[in-house]
Amino acid sequence: MIAYLLRRILYAIPILIGVNLLTFALFFVVNTPDDMARMHLGMKRVTPQAISNWKAEHGYDAPLFYDASAPGINKITHTIFFEKSARMFVLDFGTSDDGRDIWHEIKTRAGPSLAIAVPVFIIGLLVNITFALLMVFFRATYLDFWGVVLCVVLMSISGLFYIIAGQYLIAKLWHLVPISGFNGGIDGLRFILLPVVVSIVAGIGGGARWYRTIFLEEIGKDYVRTARAKGLSEWRVLFRHVLQNGMIPILTGAVVVLPLLFMGSLITESFFGIPGLGSYTIDAIQSQDFAIVRAMVFIGSALYIIGLLLTDISYTLADPRVRLQ
Amino acid sequence: MKPTPLLQISDLRTRIGAVRAVDDVSFSVSANETFALLGESGCGKSMTALSIMRLLPEHGTIDAGAVLLEGRDLLALPEASMRAVRGGAIGMIFQEPMTSLNPVLSIGEQVGESLRRHRNLGGAALRAESIHLLNAVGLPDAARRISEYPFQLSGGMKQRVMIAMALAGNPRLLIADEPTTALDVTIQAQVLQLLRSIQRERGMGMLLITHDLGVVAEMADRVGVMYAGELVEIAPRDAFFDAPFHPYSRKLFAALPGRGQRGGALEVIPGMVPALDSAFVGCRFAQRCDAAFDLCRSETPAWTQLAQGHTVRCHLAPTGSRTAMPVPTTSVTQAVMGKATALLTVRNLQVHFPIRSGLLQRQVGAVKAVDGVSLDIGVGETLALVGESGCGKTTVGKAIIQLVKPTAGSVLFNGSELTRLGAAGLRAQRSGFQMIFQDPYSSLNPRMRVVEILEEGMMALGVEPAAGARRKAMTRLLDQVGLAQTALHRYPHEFSGGQRQRIAIARALAVRPRLIVCDEPTSALDVSVQAQILNLLKDLQNELGLSYLFITHNLPVVDYLAQRVAVMYLGRIVETGDTRTVLEHPRHPYTQALLSAAPVISGPRPPKIQLHGDLPSLARPPAGCHFHPRCAQAMEVCRRQYPGQTEINSHQMVWCHLANQIA
Amino acid sequence: MMFKLVMLKTDALIFLLLAAVGIFTWYVRRHDYLRAPWRRVLTNPTGMAAAVVLAVFVVIGLLDSLHYRPALAMKAGQPVQYGVEVLSALDAMLPKLRTHKEKTYSAPLATHLYAKETIVLANGSTVRDYPRLKYGGAQLADPHTQWMRDIVQRIAWGVIEGLTLTALLVLLLAALLARRQPGGLVAALVRLLRGGNAIPWRTLLITCAILLMLGLVIVQLAAAYHVFGTDKVGQDVLYISLKSIRTGLVIGTLTTLVMLPFALLLGIVAGYFRGWVDDLIQYLYTTLNSIPGVLLIAASVLIMQVYIEAHPDVFDTSAARSDIRLLFLCLILGVTSWTGLCRLLRGETLKLREQEYIQAATAFGVSHWRIITRHILPNLQHLVLITVVMDFSGLVLAEAVLTYVGVGVDPAMYSWGNMINSARLEMAREPVVWWQLSAAFVFMFALVLAANLFADSVRDAFDPRGRVQ
């Protein structure tokens, strides 16, 4: 068990290095720092002097991999790769284009992101499972049929529509909650209510339908027939036998995204003005702040890898076949 | 005055969609009695059981009939009261112990669930009773096992847990649906023995569903034979085995392979079970019946009583005549195999699969699936390789034809050493040996037509490179295996299991091999179809001089087909020799146990040798003789040292410390 | 020459895809095991109704993929010059929609502008009022009294035309069916209307009838009004919505086309050969998969933007420029989404290679390549198909989101994402400009719903277990 998990952790290291190299290649090799500078300064009539000034200002003036001119160990450390990419392993992300420390920014913005993402994750999971179980309980009836139809319709609607319609109806027309914004403490509840509800509703269609197929597959298995032959009621069969087995794929599927909750949701946060990491990322993309995008790519990958590890762990907890072997 | 039977089923009709799976079935089961429902797959016997429990699959409906349990009509009960019956008055055991237990609940929880539901137990009493039940079904070390999960148990132990669950509600009726079909023969003997004893102890009625005449002979008090959704014959066991009446019942007996038929052809039932979604006119068996006459095709036969308790549904019955019991055509002139020229010589074959573990995935051990097997097969000879599942016999077959790379040892085929050949050299030899697989459903690519299946090997190995000649060769092949020419352009799913196995045989024959490895080719087939395939294999051998390595767990088949036999246990051969010598005078205790465990259909029943416990893991075989933990005659030396080879005579060799003493 | 054909990169790929679909259809017709599940799709009423709706979208998208540059009016003797504007066959069919531009916003079917302007009256005085539209309802002398009547009339005409065409369609179909079935025309007609055929013709006809009526009503109205209003620069919203169809379809289909070879090759190779090849491929897709999709797309699109801006000379028209961006978006979406299919195929190949028929082929010494193409690929094909149709709708929805984030299609390109994005900025306006958003959502919803329903029927037909993740 322990050896298995250790091996998984060891396996994560080359992946993180791979991600790092890939992003480095994407950001610095495909396009040179010169291209970047030219774009930031405007395309027309950029003097070479202005470019090198910009590069020096943002720390892009070193060679990519190897600095032959530098003394000793600096041959390697005084490079863009070391300064900009390798440093990320120790959570040093440098500063954004407007001069702020990215890591500090990330730390302060994670809170608002979680305030939205965690309730959405937990309540959404519960709602979807409940909805799916209801459909399975009434399987092969009209309730199930219309439930599936509803799911297909819900998942055919663009996520943007839910947000815009929610903002328009609930906030603008009925003035129940503020349209956007964020505040800490109990007062913040007003602000997160709408984004949370909207995100959950947007996820029901796909989620409930997927869980329904998982449960339906379980319900066709032999052990369910055995459980019925014991004289258990249908609800008990569903809750004790089907749900427990179905939860293995559901939970492990959910655990992967657990660490990614830190990243927040790009769209929701930006529409509702939540000062989280999602809107941070989106602002960076729109203002073409490469340093922030690079940092977010690295953090996102690291969190995903942690998610994979958690998945392995949750498998061993949820499934005795894995735990005890 | 007849007492009310425990279970009385009358005129039951069940439909699954358009398929009339159970059609007008009536029978009864009394307390303390075992009623066996016998029939081949798809005849409706399982659906009858599920109808009693009202656990039919989604599209199933019960159209008519009554199911009276102690006088109460179960079909009229509301669902809530029916739930009290399920697991309460009626316990049920299913065929597949591997999938019938919930994988994520401990067995204690699963047994306890029934106890809580039907006996209102809880807390310590629940635990105590669970342990008591598991002890009663012979689960070793029940107090510890109660917190284990199904995957930690062997198949036999899982089936014991299933039985414990079925017994938890103190049922008056136990329904056992093919309870031992998925188990090995020594385990089957254990489970049957257990079922017999608990039935006697508790005075339960038992409805036993099986396709195996042997199981019926050992277990049943009365027998009902089902065919195409209806019952065709009901009889007390002894009457049935002495003189089955219905032509279908008689054919079932005759299709069983055994020594009696050696040298001759097995009786087969021509044709197939009719589709159950159409209306029937006349007797359902008429198309396949040798004795059918006009009346059979126009009128459904009514029940006729032959003797007390022996009724049959056949137009022949009222006339008093019966079909002749097909007499096996025993040929006395069995070709005596001298020391035929060896075609295949295997010496000290080993196949080890590494076990890796730890941080760096170092090899920490090996599963010795095959651990030093030597055997010879002569030209035109059949060698049977016998053993229980997991003993490594299939791996031997695959290693011989180089589908699995042997770890060590030599495989000398027709003068060339296969283990040392490169890819090209091996390809040049490949047409010499082929394989027929166990499962006719997964051994044919569903996406290829028969013509493509047949020509694949011919093209790859350059047999008949010209298209015209190849087409002619394929035509002849289909002829040889008894398929119509129209089969060429059809897909595998259009054929039945037996027909698919014929296609698989034709595919192997297409490259004109001299040796065919047959890996349990009939174990997935019904007994009447098995007879067809065995006949075909025998005919082909006579005609083409083929050699077979016949891998099987079925001793009667060995007796029928093979000249020589090798018995395998945990990766090694423990006894080998002429079939007749080995099967009549087995020297190894394991061979003796195997022979004794196989259910006996007729004749005297010798005392059983019960093997205890399960087959140990190949990864950690017991020290000394691998068999000693299960051997009743184990001695001190058996625990320390693997026995050497003892040649009893020129016809028999055995690896056992006892061999010399007995000899 | 009146025009010069322009073959954009995505056009070429679309027609390549069309050819591939054609070949695949021909292949399916020749193989029984492939035909059987498609026959099940054909008999599924919901799936077929969805297919009809999809077909309408596809036809519009294909028309919009035949691009050309019109010749400019030249004096005789001069060499012909072509306009920089790239038009499509769809534009040629809808000249009015394209060219009838108002000044700014106008509501659907409106006759007046949505913003007040200073109007100089005939007597020279000026008032601030909503001016009449240049085109919308321009034929009405007095909109206040005539508008309602005119609208109702046009709708009625549209419905009548639709019904007539449907009736013709019914007769035509009955005549065709009567030639293959016994009982003559009347019997075929009765059977058709009662729904007594294996293929759900009646459902198809009802779908056609609804679509025809809807379409013809819109045609009637569009002749004189802006059915969905106009946007900020006075462009007809119906026109924008129709032009956006192609973008949605391209993203939904080309992405899959791009990723399919990778996923197939790597998935099968990993599962079939196992060992270090498998390790390497697993490492590759785990690494790619671990980068959050949106961020990888964002990073790549930003990088590409830099590239395009650094090399403006490569693209001769703005259409070519936004086209290359669209293609690149498909490419990068493909890169981020092939991992799922790859993993699925690897797992399935691992299972397949243990199948006895593959061992039998190995026993014949059949080469790896032949085993992969003859045994493994055909048995994976249903998985690929299901994935492709299931992914389509997700990709169409993703376009809108990515465009909103700013890493989607070119801002100059017609797309539902751009429509939503530009309309969103007007949400704060009182009264709200709702039609642009609504049109985009309605079109997107229709396409995605039809795609989802069709995908469901395909999945049900190919995978009776009803489950593919």
Side-chain angles (χ1 to χ4, degrees):
Chain A
M1 249 294 282
I2 304 286
Y4 170 73
L5 286 177
L6 269 177
R7 197 149 44 78
R8 302 300 299 176
I9 291 172
L10 284 182
Y11 184 60
I13 293 171
I15 293 179
L16 213 48
I17 294 175
V19 170
N20 193 286
L21 287 174
L22 193 74
T23 42
F24 179 78
L26 209 57
F27 281 97
F28 295 106
V29 182
V30 177
N31 285 289
T32 59
D34 286 31
D35 290 332
M36 242 188 301
R38 217 171 285 131
M39 193 169 89
H40 272 273
L41 298 168
M43 298 309 287
K44 305 272 152 47
R45 282 182 295 279
V46 184
T47 59
Q49 182 56 41
I51 287 179
S52 55
N53 281 350
W54 187 90
K55 274 161 62 179
E57 198 179 311
H58 290 90
Y60 293 127
D61 49 353
L64 285 183
F65 285 108
Y66 185 76
D67 189 355
S69 65
I73 188 75
N74 284 358
K75 280 193 200 312
I76 294 169
T77 56
H78 187 248
T79 57
I80 292 184
F81 178 73
F82 188 82
E83 298 269 329
K84 299 287 175 192
S85 236
R87 283 247 181 119
M88 292 207 278
F89 282 106
V90 290
L91 301 180
D92 176 2
F93 297 104
T95 56
S96 59
D97 282 353
D98 55 11
R100 282 195 253 184
D101 182 49
I102 295 177
W103 179 234
H104 177 259
E105 202 74 2
I106 287 171
K107 278 190 291 187
T108 49
R109 282 170 172 266
S113 278
L114 286 179
I116 304 285
V118 171
V120 168
F121 176 78
I122 295 172
I123 303 173
L125 203 61
L126 290 178
V127 168
N128 290 350
I129 289 175
T130 314
F131 202 37
L133 274 181
L134 277 172
M135 283 195 283
V136 169
F137 184 74
F138 291 106
R139 67 187 174 285
T141 66
Y142 273 98
L143 269 175
D144 177 37
F145 175 79
W146 288 111
V148 175
V149 169
L150 183 66
C151 282
V152 175
V153 169
L154 283 178
M155 65 189 272
S156 301
I157 297 172
S158 167
L160 298 174
F161 177 82
Y162 290 105
I163 296 176
I164 293 175
Q167 278 187 328
Y168 183 74
L169 277 183
I170 298 171
K172 191 164 174 182
L173 222 52
W174 300 339
H175 299 287
L176 294 178
V177 289
I179 290 184
S180 68
F182 187 78
N183 207 343
I186 277 295
D187 181 49
L189 217 57
R190 293 187 300 130
F191 289 101
I192 66 168
L193 196 65
L194 185 55
V196 166
V197 169
V198 163
S199 305
I200 289 171
V201 171
I204 285 182
R209 202 171 80 122
W210 181 37
Y211 296 164
R212 173 180 169 273
T213 51
I214 289 178
F215 291 140
L216 274 187
E217 200 195 2
E218 286 299 324
I219 221 162
K221 290 195 174 158
D222 283 353
Y223 70 82
V224 174
R225 193 178 56 186
T226 311
R228 292 209 186 103
K230 285 185 204 170
L232 303 182
S233 69
E234 189 63 20
W235 271 119
R236 210 175 146 73
V237 170
L238 270 187
F239 270 98
R240 183 134 179 96
H241 293 269
V242 175
L243 185 60
Q244 280 215 15
N245 279 281
M247 277 316 272
I248 295 174
I250 291 176
L251 264 188
T252 45
V255 164
V256 166
V257 300
L258 209 54
L260 288 174
L261 294 182
F262 279 98
M263 304 284 288
S265 157
L266 301 186
I267 307 296
T268 315
E269 287 185 14
S270 119
F271 263 98
F272 289 101
I274 311 286
L277 285 174
S279 54
Y280 187 54
T281 315
I282 226 172
D283 291 344
I285 292 172
Q286 279 162 356
S287 64
Q288 310 196 327
D289 191 329
F290 288 96
I292 299 177
V293 175
R294 220 167 45 225
M296 294 312 289
V297 166
F298 186 77
I299 290 179
S301 312
L303 290 174
Y304 176 81
I305 291 165
I306 293 173
L308 286 184
L309 282 173
L310 289 181
T311 308
D312 287 337
I313 295 171
S314 70
Y315 249 125
T316 61
L317 294 180
D319 192 338
R321 283 163 292 189
V322 182
R323 178 169 69 233
L324 299 168
Q325 232 150 34
Chain B
M1 274 299 287
K2 262 175 75 178
T4 344
L6 177 67
L7 176 77
Q8 171 77 56
I9 295 178
S10 30
D11 310 323
L12 182 70
R13 285 173 203 269
T14 299
R15 212 157 30 82
I16 312 292
V19 174
R20 293 185 294 180
V22 181
D23 209 351
D24 205 6
V25 163
S26 310
F27 63 89
S28 65
V29 183
S30 309
N32 233 332
E33 179 194 50
T34 298
F35 183 85
L37 216 45
L38 174 74
E40 295 183 288
S41 53
C43 72
K45 50 194 195 305
S46 285
M47 285 306 148
T48 308
L50 292 175
S51 302
I52 297 170
M53 292 290 269
R54 283 173 47 190
L55 282 176
L56 289 169
E58 216 113 290
H59 301 291
T61 46
I62 298 172
D63 285 346
V67 177
L68 301 180
L69 182 77
E70 295 165 328
R72 209 159 47 132
D73 189 357
L74 297 183
L75 300 185
L77 286 183
E79 178 62 20
S81 326
M82 189 61 210
R83 281 205 288 272
V85 174
R86 287 186 206 127
I90 308 179
M92 186 157 179
I93 305 164
F94 297 96
Q95 171 172 0
E96 273 292 341
M98 312 296 159
T99 57
S100 292
L101 291 172
N102 188 334
V104 302
L105 293 182
S106 73
I107 60 174
E109 284 172 289
Q110 299 194 48
V111 175
E113 208 171 32
S114 276
L115 289 170
R116 200 177 294 121
R117 169 75 180 81
H118 295 287
R119 309 241 305 262
N120 240 332
L121 292 176
L126 180 85
R127 189 182 150 80
E129 181 60 22
S130 300
I131 294 173
H132 172 73
L133 265 176
L134 291 171
N135 272 325
V137 295
L139 190 75
D141 206 1
R144 184 174 58 81
R145 284 272 158 80
I146 198 163
S147 55
E148 289 195 345
Y149 291 88
F151 76 93
Q152 291 167 297
L153 308 181
S154 68
M157 287 200 266
K158 274 185 219 161
Q159 201 57 303
R160 287 173 193 270
V161 173
M162 279 295 291
I163 295 172
M165 274 164 49
L167 294 180
N170 284 334
R172 270 92 73 199
L173 175 72
L174 186 66
I175 301 178
D177 186 356
E178 304 265 12
T180 57
T181 306
L183 304 176
D184 273 318
V185 60
T186 58
I187 309 297
Q188 161 168 309
Q190 295 171 4
V191 171
L192 291 181
Q193 171 62 36
L194 170 68
L195 283 174
R196 248 196 320 265
S197 64
I198 54 172
Q199 185 213 10
R200 214 169 295 139
E201 245 167 63
R202 295 170 171 246
M204 287 185 304
M206 180 149 86
L207 175 60
L208 178 71
I209 290 162
T210 182
H211 69 281
D212 188 336
L213 274 171
V215 172
V216 175
E218 299 227 330
M219 302 289 291
D221 299 309
R222 290 194 302 129
V223 188
V225 182
M226 274 190 93
Y227 181 77
E230 34 173 48
L231 271 172
V232 293
E233 184 165 5
I234 298 177
R237 178 190 56 194
D238 292 336
F240 181 70
F241 280 86
D242 289 345
F245 186 90
H246 199 281
Y248 175 64
S249 314
R250 301 171 77 85
K251 289 271 191 184
L252 279 183
F253 277 94
L256 279 183
R259 191 167 313 151
Q261 284 87 345
R262 170 173 280 278
L266 291 170
E267 188 66 25
V268 299
I269 309 180
M272 279 171 9
V273 181
L276 293 182
D277 51 1
S278 55
F280 287 100
V281 181
C283 174
R284 294 181 184 195
F285 190 61
Q287 301 136 319
R288 307 175 69 186
C289 183
D290 301 333
F293 53 104
D294 289 349
L295 190 60
C296 301
R297 292 185 193 94
S298 59
E299 206 174 292
T300 310
W303 285 102
T304 308
Q305 179 150 14
L306 297 172
Q308 179 63 36
H310 191 169
T311 53
V312 66
R313 216 174 194 180
C314 178
H315 284 304
L316 287 174
T319 66
S321 61
R322 59 172 66 192
T323 54
M325 189 75 185
V327 182
T329 49
T330 322
S331 78
V332 196
T333 56
Q334 196 202 324
V336 179
M337 294 300 306
K339 283 286 172 202
T341 33
L343 178 67
L344 176 79
T345 309
V346 176
R347 285 292 169 266
N348 197 25
L349 184 71
Q350 295 183 6
V351 182
H352 296 181
F353 299 110
I355 306 172
R356 298 181 188 281
S357 170
L359 206 55
L360 298 169
Q361 291 293 288
R362 270 193 309 253
Q363 184 175 341
V364 295
V367 175
K368 297 180 178 172
V370 180
D371 195 17
V373 162
S374 304
L375 48 86
D376 302 275
I377 301 179
V379 174
E381 187 187 41
T382 302
L383 171 69
L385 193 56
V386 183
E388 292 178 282
S389 54
C391 73
K393 54 190 192 300
T394 298
T395 313
V396 171
K398 288 186 178 169
I400 287 173
I401 66 168
Q402 306 295 311
L403 280 181
V404 173
K405 196 157 176 43
T407 313
S410 123
V411 178
L412 201 65
F413 176 79
N414 203 18
S416 57
E417 176 57 54
L418 299 186
T419 52
R420 266 184 251 126
L421 287 180
L426 195 58
R427 184 166 304 170
Q429 291 289 329
R430 276 209 180 276
S431 65
F433 42 87
Q434 280 303 315
M435 186 152 176
I436 300 169
F437 296 90
Q438 173 173 5
D439 181 2
Y441 290 88
S442 82
S443 71
L444 302 178
N445 187 341
R447 307 302 194 207
M448 282 163 87
R449 290 175 302 168
V450 173
V451 56
E452 290 155 339
I453 290 171
L454 292 184
E455 71 183 3
E456 178 174 48
M458 299 167 99
M459 282 157 83
L461 295 176
V463 181
E464 299 287 9
R470 192 163 62 231
R471 186 51 69 100
K472 234 179 259 160
M474 285 191 277
T475 312
R476 202 171 55 244
L477 278 171
L478 287 181
D479 240 20
Q480 275 177 325
V481 300
L483 286 173
Q485 295 303 322
T486 49
L488 270 188
H489 295 285
R490 291 159 68 190
Y491 287 93
H493 69 86
E494 300 173 60
F495 297 93
S496 68
Q499 290 172 319
R500 282 163 178 247
Q501 206 56 295
R502 288 171 191 270
I503 297 170
I505 293 171
R507 170 178 61 185
L509 288 179
V511 295
R512 297 178 193 152
R514 303 180 61 196
L515 168 74
I516 298 186
V517 175
C518 306
D519 185 10
E520 307 240 21
T522 60
S523 67
L525 304 175
D526 276 321
V527 61
S528 65
V529 184
Q530 161 172 297
Q532 298 171 5
I533 299 297
L534 292 179
N535 282 344
L536 174 63
L537 287 174
K538 204 154 197 178
D539 290 346
L540 290 171
Q541 182 167 48
N542 290 337
E543 196 179 318
L544 304 170
L546 295 172
S547 305
Y548 291 139
L549 175 63
F550 199 91
I551 297 166
T552 183
H553 66 278
N554 188 335
L555 288 170
V557 171
V558 175
D559 215 351
Y560 169 71
L561 200 68
Q563 283 93 33
R564 290 194 302 119
V565 61
V567 181
M568 253 185 110
Y569 189 79
L570 280 191
R572 295 187 182 180
I573 289 176
V574 295
E575 181 161 10
T576 180
D578 283 355
T579 304
R580 182 166 299 182
T581 321
V582 171
L583 297 192
E584 280 173 12
H585 308 287
R587 286 309 183 88
H588 198 284
Y590 178 62
T591 319
Q592 292 164 359
L594 267 186
L595 279 164
S596 142
V600 179
I601 287 169
S602 53
R605 299 208 170 81
K608 293 268 168 196
I609 303 171
Q610 280 272 350
L611 275 192
H612 298 287
D614 290 310
L615 202 66
S617 151
L618 277 167
R620 271 169 282 108
C625 174
H626 293 345
F627 186 61
H628 83 258
R630 302 175 76 193
C631 182
Q633 306 165 59
M635 306 171 296
E636 189 47 40
V637 62
C638 302
R639 287 180 242 287
R640 282 185 283 108
Q641 192 186 343
Y642 199 89
Q645 164 187 339
T646 309
E647 193 161 340
I648 308 292
N649 51 43
S650 61
H651 303 297
Q652 195 173 13
M653 267 193 291
V654 65
W655 284 258
C656 178
H657 290 300
L658 285 169
N660 289 321
Q661 297 176 6
I662 299 168
Chain C
M1 281 292 280
M2 291 293 292
F3 57 85
K4 178 172 137 190
L5 274 180
V6 177
M7 183 68 102
L8 296 176
K9 299 249 175 359
T10 49
D11 293 342
L13 286 173
I14 285 172
F15 290 115
L16 187 72
L17 185 67
L18 205 61
V21 170
I23 292 169
F24 182 71
T25 316
W26 173 78
Y27 183 81
V28 166
R29 289 181 65 93
R30 288 175 30 125
H31 288 76
D32 229 16
Y33 67 91
L34 289 170
R35 229 166 36 190
W38 279 111
R39 217 173 280 133
R40 281 200 290 278
V41 176
L42 283 178
T43 53
N44 181 332
T46 329
M48 287 313 285
V52 171
V53 178
L54 277 181
V56 172
F57 277 100
V58 169
V59 167
I60 295 175
L62 285 177
L63 283 176
D64 203 11
S65 299
L66 295 163
H67 285 107
Y68 67 95
R69 283 161 75 176
L72 295 176
M74 286 290 154
K75 292 193 192 91
Q78 273 185 324
V80 186
Q81 294 234 331
Y82 299 98
V84 286
E85 199 177 11
V86 176
L87 297 179
S88 73
L90 187 71
D91 295 320
M93 291 168 71
L94 308 167
K96 276 192 191 163
L97 283 186
R98 185 169 68 88
T99 52
H100 285 191
K101 287 188 182 166
E102 306 293 345
K103 238 185 198 144
T104 180
Y105 290 115
S106 70
L109 300 178
T111 52
H112 292 80
L113 213 56
Y114 202 61
K116 277 188 180 171
E117 272 185 10
T118 309
I119 306 171
V120 184
L121 294 177
N123 58 14
S125 61
T126 58
V127 287
R128 271 196 75 78
D129 198 2
Y130 302 106
R132 280 294 293 271
L133 292 178
K134 227 189 299 174
Y135 302 100
Q139 83 285 13
L140 303 179
D142 180 15
H144 295 287
T145 54
Q146 295 169 328
W147 180 79
M148 187 54 117
R149 198 187 141 82
D150 190 50
I151 297 289
V152 171
Q153 229 167 32
R154 283 172 190 276
I155 291 177
W157 267 118
V159 170
I160 290 167
E161 285 173 2
L163 287 177
T164 319
L165 272 180
T166 309
L168 281 175
L169 204 63
V170 171
L171 280 177
L172 193 71
L173 189 62
L176 278 174
L177 287 176
R179 294 172 63 176
R180 281 198 273 156
Q181 297 170 344
L185 185 63
V186 178
L189 203 59
V190 170
R191 201 162 32 228
L192 196 61
L193 297 178
R194 285 207 182 135
N197 291 295
I199 293 175
W201 289 117
R202 194 173 57 161
T203 316
L204 286 179
L205 285 174
I206 293 172
T207 318
C208 285
I210 293 172
L211 286 176
L212 277 173
M213 281 191 272
L214 210 61
L216 289 166
V217 166
I218 289 178
V219 167
Q220 281 288 340
L221 290 172
Y225 300 93
H226 300 290
V227 183
F228 289 134
T230 54
D231 73 351
K232 191 170 188 173
V233 293
Q235 179 90 279
D236 189 292
V237 172
L238 175 63
Y239 175 73
I240 304 176
S241 309
L242 287 175
K243 292 288 281 182
S244 301
I245 289 175
R246 177 178 181 272
T247 314
L249 290 178
V250 164
I251 291 202
T253 53
L254 288 194
T255 302
T256 324
L257 187 73
V258 167
M259 72 150 176
L260 211 51
F262 291 100
L264 268 178
L265 183 76
L266 295 181
I268 292 177
V269 163
Y272 184 76
F273 291 106
R274 299 190 295 188
W276 65 268
V277 181
D278 187 21
D279 289 340
L280 188 73
I281 292 171
Q282 278 199 69
Y283 170 73
L284 195 70
Y285 70 60
T286 315
T287 306
L288 268 179
N289 216 21
S290 67
I291 303 176
V294 185
L295 286 173
L296 185 61
I297 294 165
S300 316
V301 170
L302 286 183
I303 302 302
M304 183 214 37
Q305 248 169 342
V306 175
Y307 176 82
I308 290 179
E309 284 178 32
H311 306 83
D313 42 316
V314 181
F315 313 100
D316 52 351
T317 58
S318 73
R321 196 155 51 237
S322 40
D323 183 71
I324 199 73
R325 179 159 168 173
L326 177 65
L327 182 60
F328 189 82
L329 184 66
C330 291
L331 213 84
I332 197 68
L333 270 173
V335 168
T336 53
S337 61
W338 68 273
T339 52
L341 181 62
C342 185
R343 183 161 33 202
L344 183 71
L345 293 179
R346 172 184 168 271
E348 197 63 23
T349 309
L350 275 177
K351 265 185 256 166
L352 280 178
R353 78 188 298 283
E354 300 303 325
Q355 288 285 314
E356 288 176 344
Y357 57 82
I358 292 193
Q359 301 202 10
T362 315
F364 285 128
V366 177
S367 67
H368 293 312
W369 173 246
R370 264 188 91 77
I371 288 181
I372 287 178
T373 53
R374 300 262 296 175
H375 290 283
I376 292 182
L377 207 53
N379 282 294
L380 292 175
Q381 184 227 14
H382 67 286
L383 285 180
V384 175
L385 193 77
I386 292 169
T387 312
V388 168
V389 291
M390 300 290 275
D391 278 0
F392 174 83
S393 48
L395 288 166
V396 173
L397 290 177
E399 183 270 330
V401 172
L402 290 176
T403 305
Y404 167 76
V405 176
V407 293
V409 299
D410 196 272
M413 189 149 205
Y414 292 115
S415 90
W416 293 317
N418 273 331
M419 282 171 78
I420 295 168
N421 205 12
S422 58
R424 197 183 65 86
L425 302 172
E426 305 294 331
M427 277 294 286
R429 204 184 162 108
E430 285 291 345
V432 163
V433 177
W434 51 269
W435 48 88
Q436 212 175 342
L437 271 178
S438 311
F441 282 132
V442 165
F443 269 80
M444 217 160 41
F445 177 67
L447 177 61
V448 172
L449 183 63
N452 275 333
L453 291 175
F454 183 70
D456 270 9
S457 74
V458 169
R459 190 193 54 185
D460 288 348
F462 280 83
D463 183 19
R465 286 171 302 133
R467 167 153 182 226
V468 158
Q469 286 178 33

